[in-house]
Amino acid sequence: MSTSAIRALKPNVTQEEAVRAFSGAGVSGLYWRMRSGPLRRIADVYVPYFLYRVKYAGAPARLFAIDAVDGSLDLFEFPRIPEEGELLAWDGRNRLRAALSEGRAAELLRDKVLRVIFQQGFFKIRDAHLEITPVHCELHLPYWLGFHERHGSVRCRVMDAVRRRMEGAKACAFFEQWLAA
């Protein structure tokens, strides 16, 4: 892992808010504490994303971002290209490296965008031809990882630090795999 600075979207969740969310008294927090033990530590992690402009018949262009590691995390949609004031220079070790080519990422993005379009109403689109154009913008997105320990076993819980939401098992497995490598 290199320690040169990256450009990252500013998180919408502070460290204190993340600790409260991971230690929360709600049903989800209680479930995690019972299943995985108490919160031991948290860490911020930055994931590289590719940004693409997607255009399809009868709709304005939309901006989607797909993770550049393996394309498995949820898509981000942006109303516009993030401006400098929304980004920060971050210099730390907790970041993943891009492993996908832009071409492979575009293929994965196409499938995911089609799912998004069809979920919004299959019959709203008559032509499923997508025009996908890369937008050259270095972009890393922040996540908070909460580490819970029970009987010597450590489990990772993930919070999307932009959308302020807990992620599911897919994201937990994604980060646990990175940590194990």
Side-chain angles (χ1 to χ4, degrees):
M1 283 182 273
S2 166
T3 57
S4 59
I6 59 171
R7 289 180 52 207
L9 201 60
K10 290 180 182 176
N12 291 324
V13 179
T14 66
Q15 183 174 3
E16 295 78 25
E17 291 170 331
V19 168
R20 277 195 304 274
F22 287 126
S23 304
V27 174
S28 179
L30 179 61
Y31 169 75
W32 265 90
R33 281 192 303 283
M34 291 185 70
R35 180 174 170 237
S36 304
L39 179 67
R40 296 295 187 202
R41 291 200 188 302
I42 70 165
D44 55 339
V45 177
Y46 294 81
V47 177
Y49 274 75
F50 290 129
L51 189 61
Y52 292 90
R53 180 170 279 105
V54 178
K55 181 117 176 85
Y56 53 93
R62 296 166 72 176
L63 285 172
F64 288 100
I66 185 169
D67 79 83
V69 177
D70 66 7
S72 67
L73 295 176
D74 290 342
L75 293 179
F76 273 78
E77 185 173 3
F78 292 95
R80 59 183 160 53
I81 298 171
E83 297 172 355
E84 284 302 317
E86 299 170 291
L87 301 171
L88 57 89
W90 186 82
D91 190 14
R93 295 182 52 196
N94 289 347
R95 61 176 143 182
L96 286 77
R97 289 188 182 270
L100 285 179
S101 67
E102 278 191 358
R104 177 66 181 136
E107 290 171 15
L108 295 170
L109 178 75
R110 179 183 176 5
D111 292 339
K112 289 184 172 209
V113 168
L114 283 173
R115 271 186 243 127
V116 168
I117 292 168
F118 293 152
Q119 286 173 352
Q120 294 173 349
F122 178 81
F123 298 107
K124 290 183 183 177
I125 183 169
R126 293 173 193 247
D127 179 12
H129 173 73
L130 301 179
E131 184 180 313
I132 299 173
T133 310
V135 176
H136 296 287
C137 171
E138 180 189 346
L139 185 62
H140 286 72
L141 298 178
Y143 291 83
W144 285 105
L145 305 183
F147 299 99
H148 296 261
E149 182 181 15
R150 171 173 236 104
H151 306 301
S153 175
V154 177
R155 294 292 316 262
C156 175
R157 192 170 181 205
V158 180
M159 175 187 251
D160 177 329
V162 173
R163 295 184 275 214
R164 304 181 68 91
R165 72 175 192 204
M166 290 297 181
E167 295 289 337
K170 179 174 57 175
C172 292
F174 174 90
F175 285 104
E176 286 174 356
Q177 181 180 1
W178 170 69
L179 291 165

